[in-house]
Amino acid sequence: MYFLVRRQTGRGSGEALENEYQGSELTLGSADAMVLLPGLPGSLQLKPSKGGAQVVAKGMEFQLDDKNLRKASLAPGQVLGVGGYELSLFEAPSGFELGLLVRRVGPVKASFGGAMELRPTLFTNRRLSWALALLVLATCLILPLVGVFKPELADTLRSSPLPDDGLWSSGPLVAAHDTSGVSEDCQACHTTPFVMVQDAACLDCHRGMTEHVDIALHPAEAFAGERCASCHREHNEPERLVRLDNGLCVDCHAVPADWPAAEGMEAVTAFTASEHPEFRLGLLTPQGPGGAHGWEVERVRLGDPDLQERSNLKFTHAVHLDVDKVQDESTGDALVCASCHTPKDDGEHFEPIAMDAHCRSCHGLSFDVFDPDLELPHGDLRAAITAMEAHFIREFTDPQLRAERAGQKPRRVPGKRYAAASCEGTGLECGRAEALKEAQYQFEQTGCITCHEVMDTGASGIFDRWYVQPIRITGDWYPKGVFDHTSHLSLAWDESTEVCEACHEASQSDDARDILMPGADNCLACHAEDKGLTTVGCVGCHAFHQRDGSLSVQVRDMPASHAGMMPPDHGQPAPPAPDGQQGE
């Protein structure tokens, strides 16, 4: 409702000030009222009624028709007197519920909350203020401060409802920082009073930390203003240095357009099917034929049906996991994933696959049925050919050995070649000719070519004719992610193989080029935020400090004196693993 109040000014004049008010009722008084009337000991409430207004007084009385009242109906033409004021109604314009005329007709009656005396009393306001200030000082400063000098008292205070040193303590240090030289000296980190901890203070100790970014691709200026302390919060309870909330990552990744320097960045707001992109693999890719120009990790996104691993290895998981075709040598049972894949101590990666550790027990490299214990060296083409030549030259130049072999009838071994019993020519010529036949057998029919990609160069010399392409197996498919195989292997499946198969489906793979890594849909089945089964935050799968990132002293634009203290190869990717081994 709207009210129009006309306050008459001057005596006997028609001048007046008008004000509009809005509310469910009109209040008048000396405090907390719509219309202030100084001197009133209480307040008046006016509510419009048919033909007038209902008046209610609180804390005082008013005069109406020569009567002292606290509640009455005020009609047009009547005058209500209260505390030196006269109130009357007038016809309000259209749009207003009530029109009220206020006129002062006498001196304002002062009203005081209590008697004013000059005589001092025992509990004056000043004395009470000082007493309260001293009490607060003793309770909140002196009492907790005693604990600094008496640690046993500090422990008692912390376990009691009394104030303790937690009133001014910013919180405990994490265990990593609770060491001498840091915990005893606040200025070790807080170098400037009343200024947030700067990156330089962090990097004085953590010079070897790597960033998530690579400044060879993205300039360091693009990350100016992003402080170490934006993600690492000290003095928190519980004692945890790394922020775990999704806002740590989503605050930046939700709008890639805000980061033009981060090429290829996609929008991420949550780990759901619609708000998280498909995973990207770190695929080890040969540069040039057979990796002649080295190998590089190529970041590719899953989902491309033509995506293949190019490790130069010939292998089929389906055959090795089929109990009718391959069995464990000691038990006769089917092979399982753990027969070859051994987790490392970090629970995430696996020990490299090597010929001697995982293959040689079944796939021996013997090449002479007369001497099955003699095997070719693995991983060195020249050494293997030299071993074949040396063996067969000896066989054709040693008469006693030839005589022994002539009287032997070796056991026929499937997949093995039988050397010629005789040869015309010198022992050297016959030995070399037989070595050439064995090399052709190994590199073109069965043997080395069974597992390796071999290229016939067409050269006339035996040492230059074949080229065995080196094997490089991707060791870390998700280098930007964090995963714990140990916790996932503890899931209650009947067989350990089924745990691995739930994600990798190796038993269905007939080609070593198949990529058996699970995509986002596999993880979303259990960890999607909108399903609430076993949700994980961003930092549960992503680590900021990457092995292949740039040094923090470079990204944070530290002085050259700091950067120069690091070894030149610090933070660089590890060299490729030897032939036939799985790189990290």
Side-chain angles (χ1 to χ4, degrees):
M1 290 185 289
Y2 290 89
F3 308 99
L4 180 62
V5 177
R6 183 178 296 163
R7 190 188 296 264
Q8 188 169 326
T9 61
R11 295 193 178 185
S13 68
E15 297 180 2
L17 297 176
E18 292 185 347
N19 292 284
E20 298 178 9
Y21 300 93
Q22 181 182 5
S24 59
E25 60 185 14
L26 181 65
T27 59
L28 302 92
S30 59
D32 300 329
M34 293 181 181
V35 182
L36 296 179
L37 299 179
L40 289 188
S43 63
L44 293 176
Q45 295 178 349
L46 278 76
K47 290 186 177 180
S49 64
K50 186 175 181 180
Q54 293 292 327
V55 183
V56 177
K58 292 185 178 181
M60 63 180 185
E61 293 179 344
F62 56 85
Q63 293 78 42
L64 183 63
D65 297 335
D66 297 327
K67 295 179 181 180
N68 292 331
L69 303 173
R70 289 182 177 270
K71 184 176 182 181
S73 295
L74 182 62
Q78 289 182 305
V79 178
L80 183 150
V82 60
Y85 296 94
E86 287 184 351
L87 309 180
S88 60
L89 300 178
F90 65 88
E91 185 178 354
S94 176
F96 292 92
E97 301 291 333
L98 187 71
L100 181 67
L101 175 64
V102 179
R103 183 175 59 181
R104 199 174 80 179
V105 297
V108 175
K109 297 180 180 180
S111 176
F112 301 99
M116 297 181 64
E117 297 183 2
L118 296 178
R119 291 178 301 169
T121 60
L122 178 61
F123 298 105
T124 63
N125 288 343
R126 177 169 293 182
R127 288 177 179 177
L128 286 174
S129 299
W130 276 106
L132 183 60
L134 292 174
L135 179 62
V136 171
L137 183 66
T139 305
C140 299
L141 179 61
I142 298 176
L143 184 60
L145 192 61
V146 174
V148 176
F149 304 98
K150 292 186 177 181
E152 64 278 3
L153 179 59
D155 294 335
T156 303
L157 290 173
R158 294 189 190 108
S159 59
S160 72
L162 295 173
D164 55 39
D165 55 0
L167 292 174
W168 61 70
S169 175
S170 56
L173 289 169
V174 295
H177 289 162
D178 193 10
T179 59
S180 63
V182 177
S183 60
E184 301 168 357
D185 183 11
C186 298
Q187 290 185 331
C189 299
H190 299 275
T191 56
T192 305
F194 306 107
V195 175
M196 293 185 297
V197 175
Q198 301 300 301
D199 290 349
C202 302
L203 299 180
D204 276 343
C205 297
H206 300 284
R207 299 186 186 96
M209 297 302 294
T210 54
E211 297 279 358
H212 190 72
V213 298
D214 184 358
I215 59 174
L217 302 175
H218 309 301
E221 307 86 62
F223 304 92
E226 300 303 316
R227 302 169 52 246
C228 301
S230 298
C231 303
H232 300 283
R233 302 293 178 84
E234 186 58 277
H235 303 297
N236 282 327
E237 298 236 25
E239 299 176 19
R240 188 168 55 202
L241 189 60
V242 181
R243 285 178 56 190
L244 299 181
D245 59 292
N246 283 351
L248 171 69
C249 306
V250 173
D251 286 348
C252 294
H253 285 265
V255 186
D258 293 343
W259 302 86
E263 184 178 352
M265 178 176 172
E266 293 193 27
V268 182
T269 55
F271 188 54
T272 63
S274 60
E275 297 174 313
H276 192 286
E278 181 56 89
F279 297 161
R280 285 200 301 172
L281 297 171
L283 185 62
L284 196 60
T285 305
Q287 304 300 303
H293 303 296
W295 297 68
E296 290 185 2
V297 176
E298 182 181 355
R299 299 279 287 153
V300 294
R301 203 168 296 279
L302 275 174
D304 183 356
D306 298 327
L307 200 61
Q308 292 182 333
E309 182 180 14
R310 295 154 64 185
S311 63
N312 295 329
L313 174 67
K314 295 179 181 179
F315 182 82
T316 165
H317 281 91
V319 169
H320 286 77
L321 293 176
D322 187 345
V323 67
D324 296 329
K325 298 178 180 179
V326 179
Q327 302 88 31
D328 186 282
E329 286 186 308
S330 58
T331 65
D333 298 331
L335 295 180
V336 295
C337 300
S339 300
C340 299
H341 298 283
T342 305
K344 287 188 174 182
D345 293 339
D346 61 7
E348 178 179 356
H349 304 94
F350 289 83
E351 296 292 342
I353 299 296
M355 172 67 181
D356 290 338
H358 303 97
C359 309
R360 193 183 287 271
S361 60
C362 296
H363 301 282
L365 299 180
S366 61
F367 61 98
D368 189 345
V369 293
F370 287 99
D371 194 352
D373 294 332
L374 182 64
E375 294 191 348
L376 293 173
H378 183 264
D380 189 334
L381 175 64
R382 188 173 186 82
I385 295 176
T386 300
M388 286 186 282
E389 278 200 339
H391 172 76
F392 288 113
I393 289 174
R394 174 176 175 268
E395 183 174 309
F396 280 97
T397 55
D398 186 340
Q400 184 178 354
L401 179 62
R402 293 299 299 165
E404 293 176 359
R405 294 286 174 88
Q408 291 180 0
K409 188 175 182 180
R411 178 175 62 90
R412 179 172 291 277
V413 180
K416 293 296 181 181
R417 187 189 70 88
Y418 285 82
S422 61
C423 173
E424 295 182 1
T426 65
L428 177 62
E429 293 172 344
C430 291
R432 285 181 171 174
E434 194 64 29
L436 178 59
K437 293 178 182 179
E438 181 63 29
Q440 289 175 324
Y441 184 78
Q442 290 285 340
F443 298 133
E444 296 178 3
Q445 300 180 40
T446 183
C448 303
I449 199 173
T450 303
C451 301
H452 292 269
E453 295 286 350
V454 181
M455 181 173 61
D456 189 343
T457 65
S460 58
I462 188 174
F463 288 100
D464 300 321
R465 179 170 175 178
W466 295 279
Y467 174 70
V468 179
Q469 298 187 4
I471 290 177
R472 295 285 189 275
I473 302 177
T474 302
D476 193 348
W477 286 97
Y478 290 122
K480 303 298 183 182
V482 178
F483 183 82
D484 184 8
H485 281 93
T486 304
S487 62
H488 287 76
L489 287 173
S490 65
L491 298 176
W493 271 279
D494 294 334
E495 300 289 341
S496 61
T497 304
E498 294 183 6
V499 179
C500 304
E501 284 280 322
C503 297
H504 298 285
E505 300 181 349
S507 63
Q508 307 301 315
S509 172
D510 286 319
D511 195 332
R513 294 172 295 182
D514 292 341
I515 294 179
L516 305 178
M517 302 307 297
D521 57 340
N522 187 279
C523 301
L524 286 167
C526 295
H527 300 296
E529 292 184 29
D530 52 358
K531 292 184 178 180
L533 298 178
T534 310
T535 57
V536 294
C538 300
V539 296
C541 300
H542 296 279
F544 185 83
H545 296 283
Q546 299 290 330
R547 292 186 297 271
D548 57 350
S550 298
L551 289 179
S552 294
V553 292
Q554 297 169 331
V555 178
R556 301 295 160 184
D557 197 22
M558 290 291 291
S561 57
H562 285 285
M565 300 177 72
M566 298 306 303
D569 60 345
H570 188 87
Q572 299 301 317
D579 289 354
Q581 294 189 5
Q582 185 178 13
E584 270 303 296

